Amino acid sequence: MVVSGQCLLCVFTPQKETPLANAVFWAARKGNLALLQLLLNSGRVDADCRDSYGTTALMVASYSGHYECVKELIMQGADINYQRETGSTALFFASQHGHCDVVKLLFEFGASTEFQTKDGGTALTVASQYGHSKVVDTLLKNGANVHDQLNVRPFASTFTASHCHDLLLPMSSTTSSSSLCFQDGTAPLWMAAQMGHSEAVKVLLLRGADRDADRQDGSTALFKAALKGHNSVIEELLKFSPSLGLLKNGSTALHAAVVGGNLRSILLLLGANADPTLANKNNELPADLTKSDRILKLLHPKISNGNS
C-alpha cells in the first residue's frame, strides 16, 4: 500500500472527551495560544487530557510545530514522555515533521530519546527517513542511538481517527510500496540513504553510523542508494570507504547500480574502484544484468583491462 502526501494533520476528532478537552486539542492543533491558556488556566481541564488512542495535546502541538503552545503545555504540567498506544511521544512527532525548535524545547524539559514505537521506531529513525538533518543532529547530540534499528515491519497505525499516520511512511505517492517493507535491522543510515537524504546521511556518518551496517536482507546503505540512483548519497558514503565487495545478499553495490540503470551511480562506483569482474552469487557480472549499450561501454573497458 502506498500512502500519498506528507502525513498532514487532519481534523482532530477525539473520542469520549469533554467539550473543553476538545477545545484544548483544537487550540493545540491550530496554534491558538490565547485560547489554550484560557482553557488550561480555568482549572477545568487537565494539560494531559488525552483521546481514546492516548494522544495528548502536547503531541498535537508538537506535531504541528507550535512552539509557544508546546511550551505552555509543558509549563502547565504536561507529561513530555507520555506514550500513546503506538508508543509514539511528542518528541517522535516533532522529529517526524522537522520541527527542530520544538525538538530542542522538549529536550530542555527532559524529553527522552529512548522511547520506541511498537515497531521499534524512534525519533531518530523517523527523522532520518524524512531527511530532517538538523533534527537528526540535535537528536544525536542529546543521546539518540545512531545504531537504532527497527524490530518488525511497520503496520498501519494512525495518529488520529482521521488516519494521520505516525509510523514510517513514504513521503509521496511516487514512492515505491517496497519502501514500506522495512525488515529487522533497518537502521537510520539505511533509511536516510534509501530515501535519498544526503544531508541526513552525512550527519549520521559523522556521528558514527556504521557505513556497512546491513539489514536482514543483506543490503547496505550504499547498495540501496546505488539501486535507487541517489548519487549525492553515494558520494557521501564513498567518503567513508564502504564495502564495494560482495555483501551478505550475494551481490555488490555495482550490481545494484547497473540494475538501477543510473550512469552517474555506476561511474561513481567505478571511480571508487568497484570491481566489474566480481560475480554475484548467481555467477553474474554486473554487465550481465543490463542490455544498455551506454552502461556496457562503461563496464567493458574495465572488464577487458581486468582480464588482461
PDB file of all heavy atoms in Angstrom, residues 155-171:
ATOM      1  N   PHE A 155       3.251  -1.290  10.742  1.00  0.00           N
ATOM      2  CA  PHE A 155       1.858  -1.547  10.433  1.00  0.00           C
ATOM      3  C   PHE A 155       1.136  -0.224  10.295  1.00  0.00           C
ATOM      4  O   PHE A 155       1.657   0.825  10.646  1.00  0.00           O
ATOM      5  CB  PHE A 155       1.208  -2.393  11.539  1.00  0.00           C
ATOM      6  CG  PHE A 155       1.455  -1.848  12.910  1.00  0.00           C
ATOM      7  CD1 PHE A 155       0.591  -0.925  13.471  1.00  0.00           C
ATOM      8  CD2 PHE A 155       2.566  -2.251  13.635  1.00  0.00           C
ATOM      9  CE1 PHE A 155       0.817  -0.420  14.732  1.00  0.00           C
ATOM     10  CE2 PHE A 155       2.800  -1.728  14.908  1.00  0.00           C
ATOM     11  CZ  PHE A 155       1.932  -0.826  15.462  1.00  0.00           C
ATOM     12  N   ALA A 156      -0.075  -0.256   9.805  1.00  0.00           N
ATOM     13  CA  ALA A 156      -0.807   0.990   9.528  1.00  0.00           C
ATOM     14  C   ALA A 156      -1.469   1.507  10.788  1.00  0.00           C
ATOM     15  O   ALA A 156      -2.650   1.308  11.023  1.00  0.00           O
ATOM     16  CB  ALA A 156      -1.846   0.743   8.440  1.00  0.00           C
ATOM     17  N   SER A 157      -0.703   2.169  11.624  1.00  0.00           N
ATOM     18  CA  SER A 157      -1.244   2.786  12.817  1.00  0.00           C
ATOM     19  C   SER A 157      -1.527   4.251  12.517  1.00  0.00           C
ATOM     20  O   SER A 157      -0.918   4.833  11.645  1.00  0.00           O
ATOM     21  CB  SER A 157      -0.244   2.664  13.958  1.00  0.00           C
ATOM     22  OG  SER A 157      -0.747   3.251  15.124  1.00  0.00           O
ATOM     23  N   THR A 158      -2.451   4.847  13.251  1.00  0.00           N
ATOM     24  CA  THR A 158      -2.833   6.211  12.913  1.00  0.00           C
ATOM     25  C   THR A 158      -2.633   7.171  14.062  1.00  0.00           C
ATOM     26  O   THR A 158      -2.689   6.802  15.225  1.00  0.00           O
ATOM     27  CB  THR A 158      -4.317   6.276  12.503  1.00  0.00           C
ATOM     28  OG1 THR A 158      -5.104   5.727  13.566  1.00  0.00           O
ATOM     29  CG2 THR A 158      -4.551   5.495  11.241  1.00  0.00           C
ATOM     30  N   PHE A 159      -2.397   8.411  13.706  1.00  0.00           N
ATOM     31  CA  PHE A 159      -2.211   9.465  14.705  1.00  0.00           C
ATOM     32  C   PHE A 159      -3.543   9.866  15.309  1.00  0.00           C
ATOM     33  O   PHE A 159      -3.646  10.102  16.497  1.00  0.00           O
ATOM     34  CB  PHE A 159      -1.538  10.673  14.045  1.00  0.00           C
ATOM     35  CG  PHE A 159      -1.283  11.798  14.991  1.00  0.00           C
ATOM     36  CD1 PHE A 159      -0.216  11.736  15.856  1.00  0.00           C
ATOM     37  CD2 PHE A 159      -2.101  12.906  15.011  1.00  0.00           C
ATOM     38  CE1 PHE A 159       0.042  12.774  16.733  1.00  0.00           C
ATOM     39  CE2 PHE A 159      -1.858  13.945  15.886  1.00  0.00           C
ATOM     40  CZ  PHE A 159      -0.791  13.878  16.747  1.00  0.00           C
ATOM     41  N   THR A 160      -4.561   9.974  14.495  1.00  0.00           N
ATOM     42  CA  THR A 160      -5.897  10.282  14.982  1.00  0.00           C
ATOM     43  C   THR A 160      -6.887   9.397  14.252  1.00  0.00           C
ATOM     44  O   THR A 160      -6.531   8.618  13.391  1.00  0.00           O
ATOM     45  CB  THR A 160      -6.282  11.755  14.711  1.00  0.00           C
ATOM     46  OG1 THR A 160      -6.478  11.920  13.303  1.00  0.00           O
ATOM     47  CG2 THR A 160      -5.193  12.705  15.163  1.00  0.00           C
ATOM     48  N   ALA A 161      -8.131   9.551  14.602  1.00  0.00           N
ATOM     49  CA  ALA A 161      -9.169   8.781  13.933  1.00  0.00           C
ATOM     50  C   ALA A 161      -9.283   9.166  12.466  1.00  0.00           C
ATOM     51  O   ALA A 161      -9.960   8.508  11.698  1.00  0.00           O
ATOM     52  CB  ALA A 161     -10.514   9.006  14.628  1.00  0.00           C
ATOM     53  N   SER A 162      -8.623  10.251  12.064  1.00  0.00           N
ATOM     54  CA  SER A 162      -8.690  10.714  10.686  1.00  0.00           C
ATOM     55  C   SER A 162      -7.551  10.174   9.835  1.00  0.00           C
ATOM     56  O   SER A 162      -7.219  10.721   8.800  1.00  0.00           O
ATOM     57  CB  SER A 162      -8.659  12.245  10.658  1.00  0.00           C
ATOM     58  OG  SER A 162      -9.714  12.778  11.404  1.00  0.00           O
ATOM     59  N   HIS A 163      -6.897   9.091  10.307  1.00  0.00           N
ATOM     60  CA  HIS A 163      -5.869   8.388   9.536  1.00  0.00           C
ATOM     61  C   HIS A 163      -4.632   9.241   9.267  1.00  0.00           C
ATOM     62  O   HIS A 163      -4.119   9.269   8.161  1.00  0.00           O
ATOM     63  CB  HIS A 163      -6.434   7.878   8.201  1.00  0.00           C
ATOM     64  CG  HIS A 163      -7.649   7.043   8.372  1.00  0.00           C
ATOM     65  ND1 HIS A 163      -7.635   5.823   8.980  1.00  0.00           N
ATOM     66  CD2 HIS A 163      -8.943   7.273   8.034  1.00  0.00           C
ATOM     67  CE1 HIS A 163      -8.869   5.311   9.003  1.00  0.00           C
ATOM     68  NE2 HIS A 163      -9.672   6.181   8.451  1.00  0.00           N
ATOM     69  N   CYS A 164      -4.141   9.930  10.263  1.00  0.00           N
ATOM     70  CA  CYS A 164      -2.878  10.649  10.150  1.00  0.00           C
ATOM     71  C   CYS A 164      -1.791   9.741  10.695  1.00  0.00           C
ATOM     72  O   CYS A 164      -1.703   9.544  11.892  1.00  0.00           O
ATOM     73  CB  CYS A 164      -2.921  11.947  10.943  1.00  0.00           C
ATOM     74  SG  CYS A 164      -4.149  13.093  10.318  1.00  0.00           S
ATOM     75  N   HIS A 165      -0.980   9.190   9.818  1.00  0.00           N
ATOM     76  CA  HIS A 165      -0.057   8.128  10.193  1.00  0.00           C
ATOM     77  C   HIS A 165       1.105   8.622  11.034  1.00  0.00           C
ATOM     78  O   HIS A 165       1.695   9.650  10.773  1.00  0.00           O
ATOM     79  CB  HIS A 165       0.473   7.443   8.925  1.00  0.00           C
ATOM     80  CG  HIS A 165      -0.615   6.820   8.123  1.00  0.00           C
ATOM     81  ND1 HIS A 165      -1.025   5.528   8.318  1.00  0.00           N
ATOM     82  CD2 HIS A 165      -1.415   7.322   7.154  1.00  0.00           C
ATOM     83  CE1 HIS A 165      -2.012   5.254   7.484  1.00  0.00           C
ATOM     84  NE2 HIS A 165      -2.260   6.331   6.772  1.00  0.00           N
ATOM     85  N   ASP A 166       1.450   7.842  12.055  1.00  0.00           N
ATOM     86  CA  ASP A 166       2.548   8.241  12.933  1.00  0.00           C
ATOM     87  C   ASP A 166       3.710   7.268  12.855  1.00  0.00           C
ATOM     88  O   ASP A 166       4.613   7.329  13.673  1.00  0.00           O
ATOM     89  CB  ASP A 166       2.066   8.363  14.380  1.00  0.00           C
ATOM     90  CG  ASP A 166       1.677   7.033  15.002  1.00  0.00           C
ATOM     91  OD1 ASP A 166       1.524   6.051  14.255  1.00  0.00           O
ATOM     92  OD2 ASP A 166       1.542   6.979  16.230  1.00  0.00           O
ATOM     93  N   LEU A 167       3.699   6.373  11.884  1.00  0.00           N
ATOM     94  CA  LEU A 167       4.829   5.470  11.706  1.00  0.00           C
ATOM     95  C   LEU A 167       5.643   5.908  10.511  1.00  0.00           C
ATOM     96  O   LEU A 167       5.523   7.028  10.038  1.00  0.00           O
ATOM     97  CB  LEU A 167       4.340   4.018  11.574  1.00  0.00           C
ATOM     98  CG  LEU A 167       3.759   3.477  12.886  1.00  0.00           C
ATOM     99  CD1 LEU A 167       3.292   2.059  12.694  1.00  0.00           C
ATOM    100  CD2 LEU A 167       4.796   3.519  13.996  1.00  0.00           C
ATOM    101  N   LEU A 168       6.490   5.032  10.001  1.00  0.00           N
ATOM    102  CA  LEU A 168       7.454   5.415   8.981  1.00  0.00           C
ATOM    103  C   LEU A 168       6.873   5.199   7.602  1.00  0.00           C
ATOM    104  O   LEU A 168       7.002   4.143   7.001  1.00  0.00           O
ATOM    105  CB  LEU A 168       8.730   4.588   9.172  1.00  0.00           C
ATOM    106  CG  LEU A 168       9.272   4.674  10.597  1.00  0.00           C
ATOM    107  CD1 LEU A 168      10.480   3.768  10.743  1.00  0.00           C
ATOM    108  CD2 LEU A 168       9.649   6.101  10.931  1.00  0.00           C
ATOM    109  N   LEU A 169       6.230   6.225   7.077  1.00  0.00           N
ATOM    110  CA  LEU A 169       5.536   6.124   5.814  1.00  0.00           C
ATOM    111  C   LEU A 169       6.247   6.922   4.740  1.00  0.00           C
ATOM    112  O   LEU A 169       6.947   7.884   5.029  1.00  0.00           O
ATOM    113  CB  LEU A 169       4.097   6.634   5.964  1.00  0.00           C
ATOM    114  CG  LEU A 169       3.263   5.875   7.000  1.00  0.00           C
ATOM    115  CD1 LEU A 169       1.883   6.489   7.093  1.00  0.00           C
ATOM    116  CD2 LEU A 169       3.164   4.407   6.659  1.00  0.00           C
ATOM    117  N   PRO A 170       6.089   6.532   3.452  1.00  0.00           N
ATOM    118  CA  PRO A 170       6.766   7.246   2.377  1.00  0.00           C
ATOM    119  C   PRO A 170       6.270   8.677   2.258  1.00  0.00           C
ATOM    120  O   PRO A 170       5.145   8.988   2.617  1.00  0.00           O
ATOM    121  CB  PRO A 170       6.408   6.433   1.124  1.00  0.00           C
ATOM    122  CG  PRO A 170       5.144   5.734   1.481  1.00  0.00           C
ATOM    123  CD  PRO A 170       5.253   5.437   2.956  1.00  0.00           C
ATOM    124  N   MET A 171       7.109   9.540   1.684  1.00  0.00           N
ATOM    125  CA  MET A 171       6.809  10.964   1.659  1.00  0.00           C
ATOM    126  C   MET A 171       5.949  11.400   0.498  1.00  0.00           C
ATOM    127  O   MET A 171       5.433  12.497   0.470  1.00  0.00           O
ATOM    128  CB  MET A 171       8.114  11.757   1.644  1.00  0.00           C
ATOM    129  CG  MET A 171       8.921  11.586   2.921  1.00  0.00           C
ATOM    130  SD  MET A 171      10.407  12.574   2.926  1.00  0.00           S
ATOM    131  CE  MET A 171       9.730  14.218   2.946  1.00  0.00           C
TER     132      MET A 171
END
